[in-house]
Amino acid sequence: MRAVVQDAPGGPEVLRVAEVARPEPLPTEVLVRVHAAGVNPVDWKTRQGGGMAGVLGEPPFTLGWDVSGVVEEVGFGVTTLAPGDEVYGMPWFPRQAGGYAEFVTAPSRQFARKPATLSHEAAAAVPLAALTAWQILVDTARVEAGQRVLVHAAAGGVGHFAVQFARHLGATVVGTARESRHEWLGRLGAAELIDYTRQRFEDTVENVDVVIDLLGEEYDATSTRSLEVLRKGGLLVAVPSGVSPELREAADARAVRTSPFLVEPDGAALTTIAGLIDQGAVEVEVEDVFPLEEAARAHRQGEDGHTRGKLVLRTGA
């Protein structure tokens, strides 16, 4: 089968398409013929030697955790899926899944049936970003109706799902994004929007129950600045850079809470998310779709940092 591989850490140019052995499903696993694979920030960070590179180990390896496709084979013991089922998922994260390929194998319960209303390209944009937003809001922060939620980088992959899920949970959503994204984000459910290129969010936002920081401390001290807008007892979920001892100390001084976060495979949550998408309660934004051979170009575009929603690779399957 064809797969995108890299033999060393580096820039987008290290990504190349090669012929590799097709995986075989073990008991409780399914073999999925991948039609499309999502591209995420963790992908290019890992390609560079950061991100999940420490988990994957030394190259060569194949990136990609978001996939949408069709079940080709099932291993012994699988009862929830059958050949021909259209599925999507985020298999194995943070271990290697090899999503930038024509086939992947993983435990059947790390997949869910694809939203019926989405193409494979749109469905491949969902799992990692949507599960990140869902698990933060539902499982970590336990957001309730009437609370105020601030989403940094609201126009990005995780951000645009977080806006919609928070709204679905009954929260008032505040988002930071460039002004050109405001009309769209308002339609998705953001009640207040701040153009971070013109205004510092802490000058206008206050009494927030939950901050979802998708930028990180390295981006103009976003995590530390976010502590200023939380009400007492509020929660900062710091996704890219986690919670340093200094950040935790600053949070304690303000009587607010902090939490690091890393998404986990969750087929059951993906089933719930698929239902919301098919009901029309959640939209999926895909900015561009690239052929597998142009994975490097997709990474270059993603690293520019201004993607609206998600980028996707089409495997050609």
Side-chain angles (χ1 to χ4, degrees):
M1 70 172 186
R2 295 184 311 143
V4 176
V5 299
Q6 67 176 90
D7 301 306
E13 68 278 359
V14 302
L15 300 176
R16 62 182 180 87
V17 174
E19 288 289 330
V20 301
R22 193 181 89 167
E24 297 294 331
L26 297 173
T28 75
E29 292 185 349
V30 294
L31 173 70
V32 174
R33 180 184 292 271
V34 179
H35 285 232
V39 178
N40 295 285
V42 69
D43 298 2
W44 56 77
K45 291 176 183 178
T46 302
R47 186 207 73 226
Q48 295 166 346
M52 295 300 121
V55 178
L56 270 57
E58 292 298 318
F61 51 66
T62 294
L63 293 170
W65 286 277
D66 275 340
V67 297
S68 181
V70 177
V71 175
E72 187 89 353
E73 298 177 21
V74 299
F76 175 79
V78 174
T79 59
T80 57
L81 296 172
D85 286 344
E86 293 190 323
V87 296
Y88 76 144
M90 187 195 71
W92 291 121
F93 189 85
R95 295 167 57 188
Q96 179 175 241
Y100 293 6
E102 291 180 320
F103 292 92
V104 297
T105 55
S108 64
R109 293 176 190 271
Q110 293 186 1
F111 294 97
R113 283 177 171 77
K114 178 182 77 65
T117 55
L118 295 185
S119 67
H120 283 293
E121 288 84 358
V126 175
L128 192 148
L131 283 176
T132 299
W134 185 264
Q135 291 173 6
I136 289 172
L137 288 161
V138 175
D139 302 329
T140 302
R142 299 181 182 180
V143 167
E144 300 177 348
Q147 292 187 318
R148 283 170 56 79
V149 175
L150 170 61
V151 180
H152 289 304
V158 176
H160 87 291
F161 285 118
V163 168
Q164 296 178 85
F165 293 156
R167 176 208 59 190
H168 172 74
L169 294 168
T172 298
V173 184
V174 184
T176 63
R178 290 174 178 266
E179 187 176 7
S180 60
R181 312 295 202 209
H182 287 192
E183 182 179 354
W184 167 59
L185 288 169
R187 181 168 56 81
L188 294 185
E192 303 173 36
L193 290 158
I194 299 107
D195 183 347
Y196 64 90
T197 68
R198 299 180 179 181
Q199 193 172 28
R200 294 181 74 80
F201 63 86
E202 64 269 34
D203 292 339
T204 59
V205 181
E206 60 183 2
N207 294 323
V208 171
D209 294 282
V210 178
V211 175
I212 302 177
D213 178 12
L214 303 171
L215 292 171
E217 186 68 359
E218 66 274 12
Y219 190 92
D220 197 19
T222 300
S223 297
T224 297
R225 291 164 53 208
S226 293
L227 300 177
E228 299 180 31
V229 307
L230 284 165
R231 68 174 76 235
K232 285 188 176 180
L235 175 65
L236 165 67
V237 182
V239 180
S241 51
V243 179
S244 67
E246 295 78 13
L247 181 62
R248 182 169 285 111
E249 183 179 351
D252 290 344
R254 288 183 168 271
V256 298
R257 298 171 294 140
T258 58
S259 176
F261 179 83
L262 189 63
V263 66
E264 301 176 50
D266 191 344
L270 284 175
T271 297
T272 300
I273 291 166
L276 293 174
I277 291 170
D278 286 339
Q279 293 164 20
V282 172
E283 297 180 15
V284 181
E285 184 73 13
V286 176
E287 182 169 281
D288 275 309
V289 178
F290 302 83
L292 196 64
E293 292 79 6
E294 294 185 11
R297 188 162 72 91
H299 275 222
R300 289 189 185 96
Q301 183 166 323
E303 287 178 272
D304 285 344
H306 301 303
T307 300
R308 171 168 156 161
K310 290 288 298 292
L311 303 174
V312 172
L313 299 178
R314 183 185 297 115
T315 68

